[in-house]
Amino acid sequence: MTPTRYALIDATAHDTQDRFAGLAYRYVRWEIERRGLEVVSPRQADVVLVSAIAAPEWRSVVRSLKAAGIRVDRERRRQMGGPAVVLGGQAAMAPAVFDSTVDVCCVGEGKRFLAVLLDRGLEVAKAEVNAWVPGESREVVPDDEFPWDAPPVLANDGIVRIYASRGCKKKCLFCQTGWQMLYQENDEERLFHQYRQLI
C-alpha cells in the first residue's frame, strides 16, 4: 500500500513560497516530515491540508484552492476524483462556512487530529471528536490540546517563536480569543529549555 500523499496550503499567506507560510503551516509540515512522509504539490496529493486564520476571510480558502488547481466544490471534486481537503486553524472554529468546500474541519487545536490523520488515515481522523464533517449532525467539541512539544518556529517576520501561553485570561466582548479557548500556560521547565537551546 502506498503512503498517503499530503499537500499544504496556507490560505492566509499572500505568497506561495514556504518562507512566507504561517506558524500553523510550519507546524503541520514538521509533523509530516518527522514521520518520514513527503509533502507534494496539491495536484499530486491525496489530502490537501489548508490552514486559515479567520472564517470571515473564507474567500482566501477558495482563492488558494483555485490557485493550486483544486476544485472548490466538494461534491464536484469527489465526483471528479480530486483530493480530500482538510481545513484547520482559527477559521475552522466556524466550520459550517466551509461545508460546500472542505471534506473535514479540524476544530480547535490540531495536535491529536493531525496525529490520527497522519498515523491512521483520513477516515479514522473524521471520527475524532473535534472533526466537523459536512452533512453529519453529531456534536463537535473543539480540542484544546496545544502542541507544546513542537520545536520553535522561525516566523515569516524573521522572529523565532516559542509559546509561553495560549489563549487569553480576559473575556473582552469584542474579542473571541478569551472565550473561544481555555487559557493555558506552557510548562515553565520546557519553556526555559527551549529558550536556552535557542541561545
Side-chain angles (χ1 to χ4, degrees), residues 134-150:
E136 290 187 1
S137 59
R138 66 182 170 87
E139 180 182 18
V140 174
V141 180
D143 189 5
D144 63 1
E145 185 182 354
F146 186 72
W148 299 110
D149 59 334

Side-chain angles (χ1 to χ4, degrees), residues 104 113 116-117 120-131 138:
V104 61
F113 176 89
V116 171
L117 173 67
R120 298 174 60 202
L122 180 62
E123 292 308 312
V124 179
K126 282 181 173 182
E128 284 293 299
V129 71
N130 70 319
R138 66 182 170 87

Side-chain angles (χ1 to χ4, degrees), residues 73-100:
D73 182 85
R74 178 175 48 86
E75 287 303 321
R76 187 89 171 119
R77 189 173 59 245
R78 188 179 299 157
Q79 291 169 1
M80 302 299 284
V85 174
V86 177
L87 178 69
Q90 286 294 108
M93 291 299 284
V97 173
F98 302 98
D99 269 5
S100 65

Side-chain angles (χ1 to χ4, degrees), residues 113-188:
F113 176 89
L114 188 59
V116 171
L117 173 67
L118 298 177
D119 297 339
R120 298 174 60 202
L122 180 62
E123 292 308 312
V124 179
K126 282 181 173 182
E128 284 293 299
V129 71
N130 70 319
W132 173 280
V133 179
E136 290 187 1
S137 59
R138 66 182 170 87
E139 180 182 18
V140 174
V141 180
D143 189 5
D144 63 1
E145 185 182 354
F146 186 72
W148 299 110
D149 59 334
V153 176
L154 179 65
N156 55 10
D157 58 5
I159 297 172
V160 175
R161 301 286 201 284
I162 55 176
Y163 298 95
S165 65
R166 191 82 169 132
C168 181
K169 293 178 185 178
K170 301 181 189 298
K171 303 285 186 208
C172 302
L173 293 177
F174 61 83
C175 177
Q176 75 181 46
T177 304
W179 53 261
Q180 129 180 326
M181 282 281 185
L182 179 69
Y183 175 74
Q184 301 174 63
E185 292 182 357
N186 195 349
D187 175 70
E188 193 173 300

Side-chain angles (χ1 to χ4, degrees), residues 48-95:
V48 176
L49 303 169
V50 182
S51 73
I53 62 169
E57 297 290 326
W58 61 270
R59 285 184 182 91
S60 67
V61 173
V62 170
R63 189 171 36 250
S64 296
L65 289 171
K66 282 182 180 177
I70 304 298
R71 290 184 194 281
V72 174
D73 182 85
R74 178 175 48 86
E75 287 303 321
R76 187 89 171 119
R77 189 173 59 245
R78 188 179 299 157
Q79 291 169 1
M80 302 299 284
V85 174
V86 177
L87 178 69
Q90 286 294 108
M93 291 299 284

